[in-house]
Amino acid sequence: MKIHEYQARNLFRKYGIPVPDGVVCHSVEEVEKNVPGDDKLRVVKAQVHVGGRGKAGGVKLAKTKAEAVEKAGQILGMDIKGLTVEKVLVADAVDIEKEFYVGLINDRNTKSVTLMASAEGGVEIEEVARVSPEKIIKMSIDPTMGLMDWQARKIALQLFSDPKEMRQAAAILVKLYRLYVETDSSLAEINPLVLTPDKRVMAIDGKMNFDDNALFRQPEILKMREATEDEKKEIEANEKGLSYIKLDGNIGCMVNGAGLAMATMDMIKLYGGEPANFLDIGGSSSPQKVVEAMNILLSDTNVNAVMINIFGGITRCDDVARGLVTALKEIDTDIPVVIRLSGTNAKEGLEIIREFGLPTVSTMSEAAQKAIELSRG
Ligand code: GDP
Ligand code: MN
């Protein structure tokens, strides 16, 4: 689960990491009403679940309140990497002497949390990692010990030479680690962490992700969930026992089993198509589940062909076929559907589909090619 910058800032504040004050506004009127009337330097920031907002024009400085209102008007409604800006953070701006990067992630290789830091702050860390990976300092943290003060100082010393600045940064690292562990986070980034001309070290941006599988024990974090329309669909699918992830292509996939779902996506890609989603309907042949899965698939307006790929193991293909027929009778759509059934009772299953009047194919590659062809109209 992702949260917005303003929410990350609230968590930072709670854990004692210095952050400038700010207010979240959903409209220009709210900026008028909630931002104090004094004319000080502020920064108006799009609150969307993607990075690189600055480059996209979603972060603007404002010298007066009137200017903050104006900039908010420009940013609200803006499209940033496919996401519409529905709220802005209007925060006190700070003067920046230098920008740094600090972050924590779960590292599967070392099976521990990795602390990353860089004096190349402000730019996207992926970019630093690509161009000059040697500029990123990394340290694995022993989960039984946590981040010890001396380790935090050791990292901070590589970014700051002045002891007073170094100590502020080290304290921030220790707090960020505590926050990370206590909230079951999977990513916590401060980019940039800044040094001000009056030698204060503070966070002026924050990004945090959380482990979905831990949300059941993180009610305070779960309350912060502000799902986008796509995420809402994924959550809804999940509640119905389907694993659904929306992608950007146009071929809807309905598959039983996660491995087969991935293989199906690969197959579509192999033949030059683009899958619209990952969708695992699980092991049952329940028509209801198929109807729900189809409805979710077809609610994506990019979808213009559907590939159903079923492998019958314990689930029998004829059962699945009956489920599909019941479901397809119920769903009113002119989007073409290609069905591939293989495995237990495939012959009987294909017969049922053929009787219903839908084309069938017996191999996955055939199905992928047929779906791509149909998607091109
Ligand atoms: P991002 O582009 O989505 O990562 O958004 P950031 O919050 O990191 O802002 C992008 C850049 O805008 C920062 O790297 C800073 O250079 C600049 N910026 C953001 N806030 C302030 C501020 O308070 N004062 C100044 N001078 N620059 C800021
Ligand atoms: Mn940033």
Side-chain angles (χ1 to χ4, degrees):
M1 183 190 118
K2 294 176 180 169
I3 57 171
H4 289 297
E5 176 198 358
Y6 81 90
Q7 297 169 310
R9 283 179 174 229
N10 289 342
L11 288 170
F12 290 173
R13 227 170 260 127
K14 192 170 152 196
Y15 277 78
I17 297 171
V19 250
D21 289 333
V23 283
V24 188
C25 304
H26 298 76
S27 64
V28 172
E29 291 71 37
E30 275 186 35
V31 180
E32 290 273 14
K33 202 171 114 220
N34 300 335
V35 173
D38 53 341
D39 286 339
K40 60 173 160 186
L41 189 66
R42 294 194 171 87
V43 59
V44 186
K45 313 181 76 176
Q47 298 298 291
V48 279
H49 289 153
V50 287
R53 295 163 303 163
K55 254 194 231 157
V59 176
K60 294 187 197 297
L61 289 168
K63 284 191 217 66
T64 61
K65 175 166 178 182
E67 218 180 296
V69 172
E70 185 196 324
K71 299 280 159 74
Q74 291 165 8
I75 296 173
L76 283 161
M78 189 184 256
D79 178 283
I80 299 183
K81 299 182 183 168
L83 298 173
T84 308
V85 181
E86 284 166 1
K87 51 181 101 47
V88 290
L89 170 68
V90 182
D92 292 350
V94 294
D95 289 330
I96 301 175
E97 190 166 295
K98 189 153 176 24
E99 303 190 32
F100 303 87
Y101 168 93
V102 297
L104 294 166
I105 51 154
N106 279 350
D107 182 349
R108 289 169 202 277
N109 290 324
T110 59
K111 301 186 180 70
S112 61
V113 177
T114 291
L115 169 63
M116 294 189 295
S118 178
E120 299 287 304
V123 269
E124 276 183 87
I125 197 67
E126 291 80 3
E127 190 59 18
V128 183
R130 201 174 59 79
V131 181
S132 36
E134 74 286 353
K135 289 185 177 153
I136 302 175
I137 309 158
K138 287 186 183 172
M139 177 191 264
S140 289
I141 302 168
D142 184 327
T144 60
M145 310 285 251
L147 178 63
M148 317 266 277
D149 288 338
W150 65 269
Q151 291 175 309
R153 284 196 296 270
K154 191 172 161 188
I155 296 287
L157 248 180
Q158 295 182 65
L159 304 181
F160 298 87
S161 48
D162 179 275
K164 277 192 196 137
E165 295 162 16
M166 181 276 289
R167 265 187 232 116
Q168 293 180 63
I172 289 173
L173 290 177
V174 169
K175 287 166 180 164
L176 189 66
Y177 181 78
R178 244 191 71 215
L179 166 62
Y180 184 94
V181 172
E182 289 181 5
T183 57
D184 287 309
S185 178
S186 55
L187 173 92
E189 276 186 353
I190 305 178
N191 188 23
L193 178 76
V194 297
L195 174 67
T196 62
D198 57 355
K199 310 303 173 197
R200 285 176 303 147
V201 178
M202 55 199 315
I204 66 163
D205 188 14
K207 180 174 173 183
M208 288 192 77
N209 294 348
F210 301 91
D211 184 345
D212 288 341
N213 294 318
L215 289 174
F216 75 93
R217 63 177 191 188
Q218 295 290 349
E220 292 305 313
I221 300 296
L222 191 55
K223 268 192 230 155
M224 298 172 127
R225 173 140 81 188
E226 291 179 15
T228 61
E229 287 312 310
D230 288 348
E231 286 162 347
K232 275 185 202 151
K233 249 192 256 172
E234 294 174 4
I235 294 162
E236 184 200 340
N238 221 285
E239 282 161 1
K240 290 176 175 153
L242 307 162
S243 312
Y244 171 78
I245 308 287
K246 189 193 170 325
L247 302 168
D248 296 328
N250 58 345
I251 299 175
C253 310
M254 192 195 302
V255 188
N256 66 336
L260 188 60
M262 284 197 270
T264 303
M265 290 159 48
D266 282 348
M267 195 64 88
I268 291 171
K269 283 276 215 189
L270 179 69
Y271 289 107
E274 289 294 333
N277 64 280
F278 167 98
L279 174 58
D280 172 13
I281 61 168
S284 97
S285 54
S286 133
Q288 202 40 45
K289 226 170 177 181
V290 176
V291 173
E292 274 158 6
M294 267 311 247
N295 284 335
I296 288 169
L297 271 190
L298 296 174
S299 68
D300 176 354
T301 51
N302 288 337
V303 170
N304 54 13
V306 173
M307 169 172 171
I308 299 179
N309 188 11
I310 304 292
F311 180 76
I314 295 169
T315 326
R316 291 166 23 176
C317 286
D318 51 341
D319 279 346
V320 176
R322 271 186 285 273
L324 283 175
V325 167
T326 312
L328 292 171
K329 274 184 193 154
E330 209 177 293
I331 295 159
D332 183 28
T333 175
D334 39 21
I335 304 279
V337 178
V338 180
I339 302 173
R340 176 254 183 172
L341 297 174
S342 175
T344 313
N345 287 9
K347 219 173 113 227
E348 292 82 350
L350 289 171
E351 197 48 48
I352 293 167
I353 302 287
R354 240 175 267 130
E355 264 168 39
F356 178 62
L358 275 177
T360 58
V361 290
S362 49
T363 71
M364 230 166 112
S365 52
E366 241 183 287
Q369 290 172 76
K370 183 89 189 145
I372 292 167
E373 186 193 312
L374 290 168
S375 77
R376 290 177 181 157

